[in-house]
Each structure stands twice: as C-alpha cells, then as structure tokens.
C-alpha cells in the first residue's frame, strides 16, 4: 500500500509562485528569519530537558517548530560539551528533516549521530539511527542501501535486549521483501513479529502501535496475493486496535485496506465511499502525497462501474501525484494498465497505446530490480525465526555447535590436504622443467650418449642397426606427430614387419611401441608448450591433435601418466611463472 509521509509544504508551494510573489519572496524570508531569530533568542533560558519536552510536544503538530527546539537543544549540548546530549539532539534534528522530506540532510546528520553513538557505545541510539537512515534510503527508492542499514539496525536491536526493537526492524525488512514480491517470506516474518508482540507486557507503550503496524502489513500483504478473507481478518483486528481518536494515521491506513477489501469483493460503490473518507483525512492534514492510493482505487472502481471518463480523471491524478512527489508508487504499473483499458473503452486508442508502452517498460524494469534485490535478501538475510533469536536454543545449539565443529575440522583437513597437494605439484613442475632442459640439449649430445650406451651392448645384427638408424630419422622428422602413426605404418615405412620392429623397440628402447610413441609425443608437447605462449592458449583438444592424439582424454591420460600432472595444470604453472 503506502507509508504515511509528511510532504515538504514549502517546496510544494514554491512551484506555484507567481512572478510578483517571487519578487516578494526575499522580503518574506527576511521577516521569517527575524521571527526565527526572535524565537531562538526566547529559548536561550531553556534547559536541555525543557527543549526536549517542547520538541516532543510539537513534533506531530508543527514539525518545523519542533526542528527549532531540536537545533536549540543540540547547540546547548554542544556548548556544554555533553556528547550524549549532542548525539540524541542531533538524532531529533535528523528525525525532523526526515519528516520534512529533507532526506540528504537527514542522512548527513545521522552519519554524525552514528559516529558519536559509536564513541559512546550507545546501542539504542545506534539501532534508532541505522533504522532511520534505512527509512530515508527507502523513501528515495534506494532499497539496497536501505536494506544494509536495516541489517545494521538489527545487529544493535539485538544488543538492546528489547524484543520490541527487534520486531520493528524485522517489520521494515519484511516491508522490503513485500514490495519486491517475496510475499511468503514477508508473511512469515510478520507472523513471527506478531507472536512476539503478543507476549510483550501490555503496559509497554509502543506495543499497541507496533502490533497495529504488523496487523496492517499482514492485511496489505494478503491483499496483494488476493487472499481477501485472511486480509479482512487481520485488518479488522487492526481497526479495533487503532482507534480513530488515538492512532489517526494507522486508523486511516487500515481504513484504506478496508476499501481495497471491498474492491476485491466487487463492492465498488462501498470502496469509493471509504476512499472518499481517507481522501478527506489526508487533505485536512495537507498530506497530498498520500492521496495516490485512494485516487487509484476510486479510478479502478469507477472503471469497473463503467464510468470510464471519471476513471481516467482519477487514474491520471494518481500519476500526477507520483510525479509531483517523486513517489515510488508500487501500483504504478497497474495504474498504466487501467488507463490503457479506460482510454480503449472511450475510443482514445492513441493514448491507450502510450499507456500500454509505459506499462511494459515499467514491468521490465521492476522485474529486473526485484530479481536483483531478492537475490541479495536470500543470500544475506535468511530469516531466522524471531523466537529463536530471543529465547535460548537449548539442545539445538549443542547440535549446531557439534555440526559446526565437525564441519570446521573437515574444512581444516581439506585445506591442509589441498596445500600439501599444491606443494607436491609445484615440486613435480620444477622437476619436470629440469627434464625438459635435458630434452632441449643439442642433438649431437643425445647421439653421443646413445652411442655410449650402444657401445656397452655391441650390436652385430645389421638389420637391427638399420632399424635403429631409421628410428633416429623418424624422431628427427617428427613423424610420430602424425595421427595415422601406427605400428603397422611405421614398420611398412622402415621396410620391416611389425613383430621385428616391436622386438627391436622392446629390446633397445626398453618399452613397448605404444609407450615409445606416447613418450615422444608428450616430450615434444612439453617443450613446445614451454616455449610457445600462443600454443598454450589453445584448448586441450586442439593441443592433443597438434601432437598426434585423436582425443583430448587420451592425451590428458598419457600426459598424466608420464609427468604425474594434468596438461591444464602444466599450462597454468607455465603462465604463472611467466607473469612472476
């Protein structure tokens, strides 16, 4: 629905000043300033306590006057260097500015209050300051910042050990959930809050007010999901609790919900009558920004009654109020929908199309914002039942601690294993680099070593010598990189048979043909990957094909068998070494 807010009267009327009035404005402001200075002088004899009493007495009757008392109290506290009094007086100044819609100024004042309250270790003031700061951000449609401040407020609410404070901040969090269509969780939080409030001593002054707020929020949330009976149940309780004489704003809020219930029950004439009563109340208080909701439901009801001309008049009034007061009106999308329907019924198809485009544009934007914020809400604020936050968890705590301890041990064990694995891999990589250096030595050196080995095992068979020489040529020309390089093809190329070639390789290379071929390919891959950064950027499949393997899996398996590490780790280690 909406939150009762106090419009900035001066800002509203300045828009309507004539040219003559603009000339007279400096003179008027001069007289106002002189009058204000006179008032300030008359407060000089007042004590801090007296100024606070005057502030409390005038806040709801004359907010601008209350600001004068709050500023005077702050100046007096500052003069006496009383930081505690300074902090609370400055909070009152920020609260007045919030009521006057001076959001930026209010936020700036609250930052000073939070700094002082932190020094004083005043948990109650920190809770109230973060909560009010959250309200400021909420009213200027910055819900992420609002949410962050509500989380901070909740932290300090717990430290105050007052369940009322916890319930209030959870109501605010549920409100954000509700406007972003997370209705189920909003209802759960509100029901938990209601349960706690019903257990609070009736002598507690704020209990009735908070309970009334929860009941109205529950009614409003159920209305949004078209559960009219549930909404009526909670709204009737709110109307009984929020008497017209004692809780004016709450009563009219609940009255507005009653109008919506009548609308959902298709009692359109009754809905309009109730809206007229709510309209009269807000006009009497000059709180024109709060007329958006009653005008919207008057417009919808008139449309349902077939009075399309009057319907468009009230629906367009709703949009005008949203624009004038920069309201983030939650039903604005629906206003556009009904304007499209009303104008279509009247034959104004051009206007109908304009409102249809506005509807779809707003629909896309709202869906994007809802998804983004709800992801944060679920990630950072999985709601714990409020009962469990206030009462001892007993045996459940022991179980949670045991599970937490087990998970911690498991995590530490995994971390140690992972570190050990990393060390082993680093060692293997360094050893592999040494091996690659040997492979990169000039060919003459490798031949001389072969000759030394062959000298100790004198080969007398001329056919064997020929095959070994041919294998040297095979290696030099890198014919092993061809994908059709099989034992049969190599034997054919060397003009021998597969059995004889296999025996020669087994005897003199001391490995099977398959191992011999795989080793040649992997050694070549090791060298090329070390020296060619472009090759390292290829996929494993492309690298495998480059070195004669048909499948990436076969290449990775052969690479791991020979080097004790995967090719992806080898490439990553080479890149890391290059950067460092």
């Amino acid at each position: 629905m909406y939150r009762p807010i106090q419009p900035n009267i001066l800002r509203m009327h300045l828009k309507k000043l004539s040219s003559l009035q603009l000339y007279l404005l400096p003179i008027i402001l001069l007289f106002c300033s002189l009058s204000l200075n006179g008032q300030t002088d008359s407060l000089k004899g007042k004590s801090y306590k007296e100024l606070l009493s005057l502030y409390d007495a005038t806040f709801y009757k004359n907010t601008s006057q209350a600001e004068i008392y709050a500023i005077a109290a702050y100046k007096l506290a500052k003069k006496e260097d009383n930081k505690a009094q300074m902090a609370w007086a400055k909070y009152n100044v920020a609260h007045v500015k919030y009521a006057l819609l001076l959001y930026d100024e209010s936020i700036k004042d609250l930052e000073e209050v939070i700094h002082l309250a932190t020094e004083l270790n005043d948990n109650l003031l920190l809770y109230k300051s973060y909560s009010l700061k959250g309200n400021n951000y909420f009213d200027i449609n910055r819900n992420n910042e609002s949410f962050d401040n509500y989380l901070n407020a909740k932290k300090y609410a717990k430290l105050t050990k007052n369940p009322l404070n916890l319930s209030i901040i959870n109501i605010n969090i549920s409100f954000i959930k509700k406007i972003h269509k997370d209705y189920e969780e909003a209802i759960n939080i509100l029901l938990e809050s209601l349960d706690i409030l019903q257990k609070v001593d009736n002598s507690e002054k704020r209990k009735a007010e908070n309970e009334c707020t929860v009941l109205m929020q529950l009614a409003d949330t159920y209305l949004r999901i078209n559960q009219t009976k549930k909404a009526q149940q909670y709204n009737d309780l709110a109307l009984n609790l929020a008497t017209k004489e004692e809780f004016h704003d709450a009563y009219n809020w609940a009255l507005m919900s009653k109008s919506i219930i009548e609308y959902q029950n298709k009692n359109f004439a009754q809905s309009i009558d109730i809206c007229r009563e709510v309209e009269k109340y807000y006009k009497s208080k000059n709180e024109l920004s709060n007329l958006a909701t009653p005008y919207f439901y008057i417009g919808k009801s008139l449309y349902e009654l077939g009075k399309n001309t009057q319907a468009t008049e009230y629906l367009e009034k709703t949009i005008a109020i949203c624009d004038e007061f920069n309201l983030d009106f939650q039903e604005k999308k629906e206003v556009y929908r009904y304007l499209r329907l009303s104008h279509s019924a009247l034959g104004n198809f051009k206007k109908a199309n304009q409102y249809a485009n506005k509807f779809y544009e707003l629909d896309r934007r709202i869906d994007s914002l809802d998804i983004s914020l709800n992801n944060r809400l679920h990630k950072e604020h999985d709601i714990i039942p409020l009962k469990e936050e206030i009462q001892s968890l007993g045996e459940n705590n022991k179980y949670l601690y045991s599970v937490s301890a087990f998970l911690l041990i498991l995590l530490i064990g995994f971390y140690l294993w992972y570190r050990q694995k990393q060390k082993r891999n680093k060692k293997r990589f360094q050893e592999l680099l040494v091996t690659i250096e040997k492979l990169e030595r000039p060919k003459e050196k490798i031949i001389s070593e072969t000759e030394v080995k062959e000298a100790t095992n004198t080969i007398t068979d001329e056919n064997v010598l020929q095959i070994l020489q041919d294998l040297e040529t095979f290696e030099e020309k890198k014919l092993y990189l061809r994908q059709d390089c099989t034992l049969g093809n190599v034997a054919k190329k060397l003009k021998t048979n597969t059995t004889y070639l296999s025996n020669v390789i087994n005897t003199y290379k001391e490995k099977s043909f398959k191992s011999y071929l795989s080793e040649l390919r992997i050694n070549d891959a090791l060298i090329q990957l070390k020296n060619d950064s472009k090759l390292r950027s290829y996929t494993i499949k492309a690298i495998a094909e480059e070195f004669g393997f048909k499948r990436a899996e076969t290449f990775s398996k052969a690479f791991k068998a020979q080097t004790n590490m995967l090719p992806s780790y080898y490439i990553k280690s080479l890149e890391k070494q290059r950067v460092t």
Side-chain angles (χ1 to χ4, degrees), residues 395-419:
E395 289 300 315
N396 286 342
N397 256 345
K398 292 178 184 176
Y399 172 75
L400 286 172
Y401 291 149
S402 301
V403 172
S404 299
F406 172 76
L407 289 173
L408 184 61
I409 291 165
L410 202 65
L411 189 64
I412 292 167
F414 175 79
Y415 174 76
L416 293 172
W417 170 80
Y418 180 77
R419 290 285 295 170

PDB file of all heavy atoms in Angstrom, residues 395-419:
ATOM      1  N   GLU A 395      19.000 -27.446  23.396  1.00  0.00           N
ATOM      2  CA  GLU A 395      19.647 -28.617  22.829  1.00  0.00           C
ATOM      3  C   GLU A 395      20.023 -28.404  21.365  1.00  0.00           C
ATOM      4  O   GLU A 395      21.005 -28.953  20.893  1.00  0.00           O
ATOM      5  CB  GLU A 395      18.718 -29.835  22.941  1.00  0.00           C
ATOM      6  CG  GLU A 395      18.538 -30.345  24.364  1.00  0.00           C
ATOM      7  CD  GLU A 395      19.858 -30.762  24.991  1.00  0.00           C
ATOM      8  OE1 GLU A 395      20.649 -31.450  24.328  1.00  0.00           O
ATOM      9  OE2 GLU A 395      20.103 -30.374  26.149  1.00  0.00           O
ATOM     10  N   ASN A 396      19.220 -27.598  20.670  1.00  0.00           N
ATOM     11  CA  ASN A 396      19.520 -27.331  19.257  1.00  0.00           C
ATOM     12  C   ASN A 396      20.883 -26.681  19.086  1.00  0.00           C
ATOM     13  O   ASN A 396      21.596 -26.936  18.122  1.00  0.00           O
ATOM     14  CB  ASN A 396      18.453 -26.420  18.636  1.00  0.00           C
ATOM     15  CG  ASN A 396      17.164 -27.181  18.386  1.00  0.00           C
ATOM     16  OD1 ASN A 396      17.180 -28.400  18.354  1.00  0.00           O
ATOM     17  ND2 ASN A 396      16.072 -26.475  18.234  1.00  0.00           N
ATOM     18  N   ASN A 397      21.224 -25.812  20.049  1.00  0.00           N
ATOM     19  CA  ASN A 397      22.526 -25.145  19.996  1.00  0.00           C
ATOM     20  C   ASN A 397      23.660 -26.160  20.066  1.00  0.00           C
ATOM     21  O   ASN A 397      24.648 -26.065  19.340  1.00  0.00           O
ATOM     22  CB  ASN A 397      22.661 -24.164  21.160  1.00  0.00           C
ATOM     23  CG  ASN A 397      22.478 -22.734  20.697  1.00  0.00           C
ATOM     24  OD1 ASN A 397      22.537 -22.473  19.510  1.00  0.00           O
ATOM     25  ND2 ASN A 397      22.247 -21.834  21.610  1.00  0.00           N
ATOM     26  N   LYS A 398      23.520 -27.135  20.999  1.00  0.00           N
ATOM     27  CA  LYS A 398      24.562 -28.157  21.160  1.00  0.00           C
ATOM     28  C   LYS A 398      24.759 -28.915  19.853  1.00  0.00           C
ATOM     29  O   LYS A 398      25.874 -29.197  19.437  1.00  0.00           O
ATOM     30  CB  LYS A 398      24.186 -29.124  22.285  1.00  0.00           C
ATOM     31  CG  LYS A 398      24.209 -28.480  23.667  1.00  0.00           C
ATOM     32  CD  LYS A 398      23.783 -29.483  24.721  1.00  0.00           C
ATOM     33  CE  LYS A 398      23.711 -28.821  26.102  1.00  0.00           C
ATOM     34  NZ  LYS A 398      23.202 -29.750  27.129  1.00  0.00           N
ATOM     35  N   TYR A 399      23.619 -29.255  19.235  1.00  0.00           N
ATOM     36  CA  TYR A 399      23.678 -29.978  17.967  1.00  0.00           C
ATOM     37  C   TYR A 399      24.364 -29.135  16.893  1.00  0.00           C
ATOM     38  O   TYR A 399      25.238 -29.608  16.166  1.00  0.00           O
ATOM     39  CB  TYR A 399      22.263 -30.344  17.523  1.00  0.00           C
ATOM     40  CG  TYR A 399      22.185 -30.920  16.142  1.00  0.00           C
ATOM     41  CD1 TYR A 399      22.585 -32.223  15.889  1.00  0.00           C
ATOM     42  CD2 TYR A 399      21.729 -30.139  15.074  1.00  0.00           C
ATOM     43  CE1 TYR A 399      22.525 -32.748  14.601  1.00  0.00           C
ATOM     44  CE2 TYR A 399      21.656 -30.657  13.805  1.00  0.00           C
ATOM     45  CZ  TYR A 399      22.057 -31.958  13.566  1.00  0.00           C
ATOM     46  OH  TYR A 399      22.006 -32.478  12.311  1.00  0.00           O
ATOM     47  N   LEU A 400      23.968 -27.838  16.831  1.00  0.00           N
ATOM     48  CA  LEU A 400      24.563 -26.939  15.842  1.00  0.00           C
ATOM     49  C   LEU A 400      26.059 -26.768  16.070  1.00  0.00           C
ATOM     50  O   LEU A 400      26.849 -26.742  15.138  1.00  0.00           O
ATOM     51  CB  LEU A 400      23.867 -25.569  15.880  1.00  0.00           C
ATOM     52  CG  LEU A 400      22.457 -25.525  15.276  1.00  0.00           C
ATOM     53  CD1 LEU A 400      21.817 -24.180  15.552  1.00  0.00           C
ATOM     54  CD2 LEU A 400      22.506 -25.779  13.782  1.00  0.00           C
ATOM     55  N   TYR A 401      26.445 -26.631  17.355  1.00  0.00           N
ATOM     56  CA  TYR A 401      27.870 -26.475  17.677  1.00  0.00           C
ATOM     57  C   TYR A 401      28.646 -27.719  17.260  1.00  0.00           C
ATOM     58  O   TYR A 401      29.756 -27.637  16.731  1.00  0.00           O
ATOM     59  CB  TYR A 401      28.059 -26.222  19.171  1.00  0.00           C
ATOM     60  CG  TYR A 401      27.555 -24.877  19.647  1.00  0.00           C
ATOM     61  CD1 TYR A 401      27.051 -24.707  20.925  1.00  0.00           C
ATOM     62  CD2 TYR A 401      27.579 -23.771  18.796  1.00  0.00           C
ATOM     63  CE1 TYR A 401      26.570 -23.472  21.350  1.00  0.00           C
ATOM     64  CE2 TYR A 401      27.099 -22.536  19.213  1.00  0.00           C
ATOM     65  CZ  TYR A 401      26.599 -22.394  20.492  1.00  0.00           C
ATOM     66  OH  TYR A 401      26.132 -21.182  20.908  1.00  0.00           O
ATOM     67  N   SER A 402      28.062 -28.904  17.511  1.00  0.00           N
ATOM     68  CA  SER A 402      28.731 -30.162  17.154  1.00  0.00           C
ATOM     69  C   SER A 402      28.921 -30.250  15.648  1.00  0.00           C
ATOM     70  O   SER A 402      30.002 -30.586  15.155  1.00  0.00           O
ATOM     71  CB  SER A 402      27.917 -31.364  17.640  1.00  0.00           C
ATOM     72  OG  SER A 402      27.746 -31.306  19.027  1.00  0.00           O
ATOM     73  N   VAL A 403      27.841 -29.955  14.916  1.00  0.00           N
ATOM     74  CA  VAL A 403      27.909 -29.995  13.450  1.00  0.00           C
ATOM     75  C   VAL A 403      28.915 -28.974  12.940  1.00  0.00           C
ATOM     76  O   VAL A 403      29.725 -29.260  12.054  1.00  0.00           O
ATOM     77  CB  VAL A 403      26.514 -29.737  12.832  1.00  0.00           C
ATOM     78  CG1 VAL A 403      26.613 -29.570  11.322  1.00  0.00           C
ATOM     79  CG2 VAL A 403      25.570 -30.887  13.161  1.00  0.00           C
ATOM     80  N   SER A 404      28.880 -27.754  13.528  1.00  0.00           N
ATOM     81  CA  SER A 404      29.807 -26.687  13.123  1.00  0.00           C
ATOM     82  C   SER A 404      31.250 -27.106  13.364  1.00  0.00           C
ATOM     83  O   SER A 404      32.129 -26.879  12.530  1.00  0.00           O
ATOM     84  CB  SER A 404      29.510 -25.400  13.888  1.00  0.00           C
ATOM     85  OG  SER A 404      28.212 -24.965  13.605  1.00  0.00           O
ATOM     86  N   ALA A 405      31.502 -27.721  14.543  1.00  0.00           N
ATOM     87  CA  ALA A 405      32.863 -28.161  14.891  1.00  0.00           C
ATOM     88  C   ALA A 405      33.340 -29.230  13.909  1.00  0.00           C
ATOM     89  O   ALA A 405      34.485 -29.192  13.428  1.00  0.00           O
ATOM     90  CB  ALA A 405      32.883 -28.703  16.315  1.00  0.00           C
ATOM     91  N   PHE A 406      32.429 -30.184  13.588  1.00  0.00           N
ATOM     92  CA  PHE A 406      32.784 -31.255  12.643  1.00  0.00           C
ATOM     93  C   PHE A 406      33.108 -30.670  11.267  1.00  0.00           C
ATOM     94  O   PHE A 406      34.102 -31.051  10.628  1.00  0.00           O
ATOM     95  CB  PHE A 406      31.628 -32.252  12.537  1.00  0.00           C
ATOM     96  CG  PHE A 406      31.811 -33.283  11.466  1.00  0.00           C
ATOM     97  CD1 PHE A 406      32.678 -34.344  11.654  1.00  0.00           C
ATOM     98  CD2 PHE A 406      31.134 -33.183  10.254  1.00  0.00           C
ATOM     99  CE1 PHE A 406      32.866 -35.296  10.655  1.00  0.00           C
ATOM    100  CE2 PHE A 406      31.317 -34.121   9.261  1.00  0.00           C
ATOM    101  CZ  PHE A 406      32.187 -35.183   9.450  1.00  0.00           C
ATOM    102  N   LEU A 407      32.260 -29.712  10.825  1.00  0.00           N
ATOM    103  CA  LEU A 407      32.482 -29.085   9.521  1.00  0.00           C
ATOM    104  C   LEU A 407      33.779 -28.286   9.492  1.00  0.00           C
ATOM    105  O   LEU A 407      34.490 -28.262   8.485  1.00  0.00           O
ATOM    106  CB  LEU A 407      31.299 -28.180   9.162  1.00  0.00           C
ATOM    107  CG  LEU A 407      29.985 -28.892   8.811  1.00  0.00           C
ATOM    108  CD1 LEU A 407      28.867 -27.885   8.657  1.00  0.00           C
ATOM    109  CD2 LEU A 407      30.127 -29.717   7.543  1.00  0.00           C
ATOM    110  N   LEU A 408      34.085 -27.644  10.635  1.00  0.00           N
ATOM    111  CA  LEU A 408      35.321 -26.866  10.732  1.00  0.00           C
ATOM    112  C   LEU A 408      36.540 -27.776  10.619  1.00  0.00           C
ATOM    113  O   LEU A 408      37.494 -27.476   9.903  1.00  0.00           O
ATOM    114  CB  LEU A 408      35.351 -26.092  12.056  1.00  0.00           C
ATOM    115  CG  LEU A 408      36.534 -25.152  12.264  1.00  0.00           C
ATOM    116  CD1 LEU A 408      36.550 -24.063  11.194  1.00  0.00           C
ATOM    117  CD2 LEU A 408      36.483 -24.523  13.653  1.00  0.00           C
ATOM    118  N   ILE A 409      36.497 -28.914  11.336  1.00  0.00           N
ATOM    119  CA  ILE A 409      37.604 -29.883  11.285  1.00  0.00           C
ATOM    120  C   ILE A 409      37.763 -30.400   9.862  1.00  0.00           C
ATOM    121  O   ILE A 409      38.867 -30.527   9.335  1.00  0.00           O
ATOM    122  CB  ILE A 409      37.364 -31.043  12.281  1.00  0.00           C
ATOM    123  CG1 ILE A 409      37.473 -30.528  13.725  1.00  0.00           C
ATOM    124  CG2 ILE A 409      38.352 -32.186  12.059  1.00  0.00           C
ATOM    125  CD1 ILE A 409      36.911 -31.463  14.766  1.00  0.00           C
ATOM    126  N   LEU A 410      36.612 -30.696   9.232  1.00  0.00           N
ATOM    127  CA  LEU A 410      36.619 -31.188   7.856  1.00  0.00           C
ATOM    128  C   LEU A 410      37.231 -30.153   6.917  1.00  0.00           C
ATOM    129  O   LEU A 410      38.032 -30.489   6.036  1.00  0.00           O
ATOM    130  CB  LEU A 410      35.180 -31.481   7.433  1.00  0.00           C
ATOM    131  CG  LEU A 410      34.977 -32.456   6.270  1.00  0.00           C
ATOM    132  CD1 LEU A 410      35.462 -33.846   6.642  1.00  0.00           C
ATOM    133  CD2 LEU A 410      33.509 -32.522   5.894  1.00  0.00           C
ATOM    134  N   LEU A 411      36.859 -28.890   7.140  1.00  0.00           N
ATOM    135  CA  LEU A 411      37.369 -27.795   6.312  1.00  0.00           C
ATOM    136  C   LEU A 411      38.872 -27.628   6.493  1.00  0.00           C
ATOM    137  O   LEU A 411      39.608 -27.455   5.521  1.00  0.00           O
ATOM    138  CB  LEU A 411      36.640 -26.497   6.685  1.00  0.00           C
ATOM    139  CG  LEU A 411      36.892 -25.293   5.782  1.00  0.00           C
ATOM    140  CD1 LEU A 411      36.384 -25.551   4.374  1.00  0.00           C
ATOM    141  CD2 LEU A 411      36.216 -24.057   6.348  1.00  0.00           C
ATOM    142  N   ILE A 412      39.329 -27.696   7.742  1.00  0.00           N
ATOM    143  CA  ILE A 412      40.774 -27.568   8.025  1.00  0.00           C
ATOM    144  C   ILE A 412      41.528 -28.723   7.377  1.00  0.00           C
ATOM    145  O   ILE A 412      42.585 -28.536   6.767  1.00  0.00           O
ATOM    146  CB  ILE A 412      41.032 -27.516   9.548  1.00  0.00           C
ATOM    147  CG1 ILE A 412      40.476 -26.204  10.127  1.00  0.00           C
ATOM    148  CG2 ILE A 412      42.515 -27.648   9.858  1.00  0.00           C
ATOM    149  CD1 ILE A 412      40.401 -26.173  11.635  1.00  0.00           C
ATOM    150  N   GLY A 413      40.957 -29.947   7.512  1.00  0.00           N
ATOM    151  CA  GLY A 413      41.579 -31.131   6.904  1.00  0.00           C
ATOM    152  C   GLY A 413      41.693 -30.992   5.399  1.00  0.00           C
ATOM    153  O   GLY A 413      42.743 -31.287   4.803  1.00  0.00           O
ATOM    154  N   PHE A 414      40.614 -30.503   4.785  1.00  0.00           N
ATOM    155  CA  PHE A 414      40.619 -30.305   3.333  1.00  0.00           C
ATOM    156  C   PHE A 414      41.649 -29.261   2.933  1.00  0.00           C
ATOM    157  O   PHE A 414      42.376 -29.429   1.948  1.00  0.00           O
ATOM    158  CB  PHE A 414      39.228 -29.865   2.862  1.00  0.00           C
ATOM    159  CG  PHE A 414      39.162 -29.522   1.409  1.00  0.00           C
ATOM    160  CD1 PHE A 414      39.087 -30.517   0.443  1.00  0.00           C
ATOM    161  CD2 PHE A 414      39.212 -28.201   0.993  1.00  0.00           C
ATOM    162  CE1 PHE A 414      39.046 -30.209  -0.907  1.00  0.00           C
ATOM    163  CE2 PHE A 414      39.172 -27.882  -0.353  1.00  0.00           C
ATOM    164  CZ  PHE A 414      39.088 -28.885  -1.302  1.00  0.00           C
ATOM    165  N   TYR A 415      41.725 -28.179   3.732  1.00  0.00           N
ATOM    166  CA  TYR A 415      42.682 -27.111   3.441  1.00  0.00           C
ATOM    167  C   TYR A 415      44.111 -27.639   3.507  1.00  0.00           C
ATOM    168  O   TYR A 415      44.930 -27.374   2.629  1.00  0.00           O
ATOM    169  CB  TYR A 415      42.502 -25.960   4.437  1.00  0.00           C
ATOM    170  CG  TYR A 415      43.536 -24.872   4.305  1.00  0.00           C
ATOM    171  CD1 TYR A 415      43.472 -23.940   3.269  1.00  0.00           C
ATOM    172  CD2 TYR A 415      44.586 -24.781   5.211  1.00  0.00           C
ATOM    173  CE1 TYR A 415      44.428 -22.946   3.133  1.00  0.00           C
ATOM    174  CE2 TYR A 415      45.555 -23.794   5.081  1.00  0.00           C
ATOM    175  CZ  TYR A 415      45.464 -22.882   4.036  1.00  0.00           C
ATOM    176  OH  TYR A 415      46.410 -21.908   3.904  1.00  0.00           O
ATOM    177  N   LEU A 416      44.435 -28.427   4.562  1.00  0.00           N
ATOM    178  CA  LEU A 416      45.790 -28.986   4.709  1.00  0.00           C
ATOM    179  C   LEU A 416      46.117 -29.932   3.566  1.00  0.00           C
ATOM    180  O   LEU A 416      47.229 -29.916   3.019  1.00  0.00           O
ATOM    181  CB  LEU A 416      45.918 -29.703   6.060  1.00  0.00           C
ATOM    182  CG  LEU A 416      45.848 -28.795   7.298  1.00  0.00           C
ATOM    183  CD1 LEU A 416      45.791 -29.632   8.565  1.00  0.00           C
ATOM    184  CD2 LEU A 416      47.041 -27.842   7.345  1.00  0.00           C
ATOM    185  N   TRP A 417      45.122 -30.778   3.193  1.00  0.00           N
ATOM    186  CA  TRP A 417      45.332 -31.696   2.078  1.00  0.00           C
ATOM    187  C   TRP A 417      45.572 -30.933   0.782  1.00  0.00           C
ATOM    188  O   TRP A 417      46.469 -31.275  -0.001  1.00  0.00           O
ATOM    189  CB  TRP A 417      44.089 -32.591   1.932  1.00  0.00           C
ATOM    190  CG  TRP A 417      44.098 -33.414   0.680  1.00  0.00           C
ATOM    191  CD1 TRP A 417      44.769 -34.587   0.467  1.00  0.00           C
ATOM    192  CD2 TRP A 417      43.435 -33.103  -0.554  1.00  0.00           C
ATOM    193  NE1 TRP A 417      44.554 -35.026  -0.814  1.00  0.00           N
ATOM    194  CE2 TRP A 417      43.749 -34.136  -1.475  1.00  0.00           C
ATOM    195  CE3 TRP A 417      42.603 -32.066  -0.965  1.00  0.00           C
ATOM    196  CZ2 TRP A 417      43.250 -34.146  -2.767  1.00  0.00           C
ATOM    197  CZ3 TRP A 417      42.118 -32.075  -2.252  1.00  0.00           C
ATOM    198  CH2 TRP A 417      42.437 -33.102  -3.142  1.00  0.00           C
ATOM    199  N   TYR A 418      44.791 -29.883   0.577  1.00  0.00           N
ATOM    200  CA  TYR A 418      44.931 -29.080  -0.632  1.00  0.00           C
ATOM    201  C   TYR A 418      46.294 -28.396  -0.691  1.00  0.00           C
ATOM    202  O   TYR A 418      46.958 -28.383  -1.740  1.00  0.00           O
ATOM    203  CB  TYR A 418      43.826 -28.025  -0.683  1.00  0.00           C
ATOM    204  CG  TYR A 418      43.881 -27.130  -1.896  1.00  0.00           C
ATOM    205  CD1 TYR A 418      43.448 -27.581  -3.145  1.00  0.00           C
ATOM    206  CD2 TYR A 418      44.385 -25.829  -1.809  1.00  0.00           C
ATOM    207  CE1 TYR A 418      43.513 -26.770  -4.266  1.00  0.00           C
ATOM    208  CE2 TYR A 418      44.447 -25.011  -2.922  1.00  0.00           C
ATOM    209  CZ  TYR A 418      44.004 -25.491  -4.149  1.00  0.00           C
ATOM    210  OH  TYR A 418      44.075 -24.689  -5.260  1.00  0.00           O
ATOM    211  N   ARG A 419      46.753 -27.851   0.437  1.00  0.00           N
ATOM    212  CA  ARG A 419      48.066 -27.196   0.498  1.00  0.00           C
ATOM    213  C   ARG A 419      49.192 -28.189   0.193  1.00  0.00           C
ATOM    214  O   ARG A 419      50.133 -27.872  -0.523  1.00  0.00           O
ATOM    215  CB  ARG A 419      48.278 -26.580   1.884  1.00  0.00           C
ATOM    216  CG  ARG A 419      47.405 -25.377   2.177  1.00  0.00           C
ATOM    217  CD  ARG A 419      47.861 -24.134   1.458  1.00  0.00           C
ATOM    218  NE  ARG A 419      49.155 -23.690   1.902  1.00  0.00           N
ATOM    219  CZ  ARG A 419      49.860 -22.737   1.295  1.00  0.00           C
ATOM    220  NH1 ARG A 419      49.377 -22.153   0.215  1.00  0.00           N
ATOM    221  NH2 ARG A 419      51.039 -22.367   1.744  1.00  0.00           N
TER     222      ARG A 419
END
